[in-house]
């Protein structure tokens, strides 16, 4: 009986392999695009949600709480604060807060002209960094900050930006927000702060771990007086209208 000859297994042609490989790459790219789109949507929803929901914590507050075993922080609504509190931090940190869309172009130009020796971050940029991102200097973080700042400015009113800032800013090691700061330095709630005390708290913001609002140095005292004058100026010329009733 004649044996049937076995035909050798047909090998896949190289064009077929290339086609399957290309299809696989397309699927991977499709999933990557979908994943990136989903991430963008979730991030936008996160930013939008905080327009109404008070941030329960931030990445930095959480890391400090872990390092220190806890932090001091109590949320306080902007409407429950004296007007001098918001005016003081705006005068100290971002005098044109009501006039920009997240970036103070004039301040950036001045910082560049000075050789980059001083910062030009607005309150809006600081809120984005503190609430949604991480600390430290890196190009990825700066790129995200630059992207998210105008998004937040579009989705939030200015009053909300300054309210969140006042509640997440660091005023001492383990002390976050204006309420905890008022109690730490002056033994009173933020609602009872005087304009002088508000100016002193604003004066320590650039370097809160090494400055004391309750026992100001001559430099801090002079800075607080300058801030108080600036707060009165921005009220008079309308630069506080966007966050005041």
């Amino acid at each position: 009986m004649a044996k049937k000859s076995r035909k050798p297994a047909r090998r896949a042609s190289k064009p077929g392999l290339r086609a399957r490989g290309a299809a696989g790459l397309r699927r991977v790219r499709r999933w990557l695009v979908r994943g990136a789109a989903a991430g963008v949507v979730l991030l936008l929803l996160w930013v939008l949600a905080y327009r109404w929901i008070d941030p329960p914590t931030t990445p930095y507050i959480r890391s400090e709480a872990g390092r220190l075993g806890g932090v001091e922080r109590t949320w306080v609504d902007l409407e429950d604060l004296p007007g001098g509190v918001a005016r003081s931090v705006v005068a100290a940190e971002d005098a044109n807060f009501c006039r920009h869309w997240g970036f103070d172009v004039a301040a950036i130009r001045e910082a560049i002209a000075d050789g980059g020796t001083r910062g030009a971050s607005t309150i809006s940029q600081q809120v984005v960094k503190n609430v949604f991102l991480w600390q430290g200097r890196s190009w990825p973080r700066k790129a995200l900050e630059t992207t998210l700042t105008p998004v937040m400015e579009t989705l939030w009113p200015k009053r909300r930006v300054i309210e969140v800032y006042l509640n997440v800013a660091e005023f001492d090691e383990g002390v976050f927000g204006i309420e905890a700061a008022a109690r730490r330095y002056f033994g009173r709630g933020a609602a009872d702060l005087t304009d002088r005390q508000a100016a002193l708290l604003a004066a320590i913001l650039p370097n809160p771990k090494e400055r004391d609002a309750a026992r100001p140095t001559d430099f801090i005292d002079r800075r607080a007086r300058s801030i108080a004058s600036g707060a009165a100026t921005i009220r008079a010329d309308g630069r506080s209208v966007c966050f005041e009733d």
Side-chain angles (χ1 to χ4, degrees), residues 35-52:
V40 170
V41 170
L42 288 174
L43 188 56
L44 290 175
L45 290 175
W46 186 18
V47 175
L48 180 61
Y50 278 177
R51 173 174 176 163
W52 299 282

Side-chain angles (χ1 to χ4, degrees), residues 59-183:
Y60 181 58
I61 292 176
R62 189 164 55 247
S63 68
E64 285 294 276
R67 183 177 70 87
L68 300 170
V71 297
E72 299 173 40
R73 180 175 179 250
T74 302
W75 185 275
V76 58
D77 293 334
L78 185 62
E79 62 190 24
D80 295 327
L81 294 172
V85 172
R87 286 195 296 271
S88 291
V89 297
V90 169
E93 296 288 289
D94 187 4
N96 291 317
F97 175 68
C98 287
R99 295 182 175 177
H100 64 63
W101 47 276
F103 304 101
D104 189 336
V105 177
I108 293 172
R109 287 173 178 166
E110 290 176 8
I112 293 172
D114 289 344
T117 56
R118 60 189 180 89
S121 290
T122 63
I123 285 176
S124 301
Q125 289 175 270
Q126 293 180 54
V127 169
V128 166
K129 179 186 71 175
N130 290 334
V131 174
F132 301 106
L133 304 175
W134 61 93
Q135 302 297 307
R137 296 185 177 183
S138 67
W139 285 111
R141 187 196 64 73
K142 197 64 181 177
L144 283 170
E145 177 189 307
T146 302
T147 301
L148 284 177
T149 296
V151 172
M152 185 192 71
E153 280 271 343
T154 300
L155 297 176
W156 294 11
K158 289 283 190 176
R159 278 181 61 85
R160 183 57 173 171
V161 176
I162 195 67
E163 180 177 59
V164 172
Y165 176 80
L166 286 169
N167 280 282
V168 302
E170 183 180 33
F171 286 90
D172 195 2
E173 188 171 53
V175 178
F176 292 90
I178 193 70
E179 178 69 19
R183 295 190 179 280

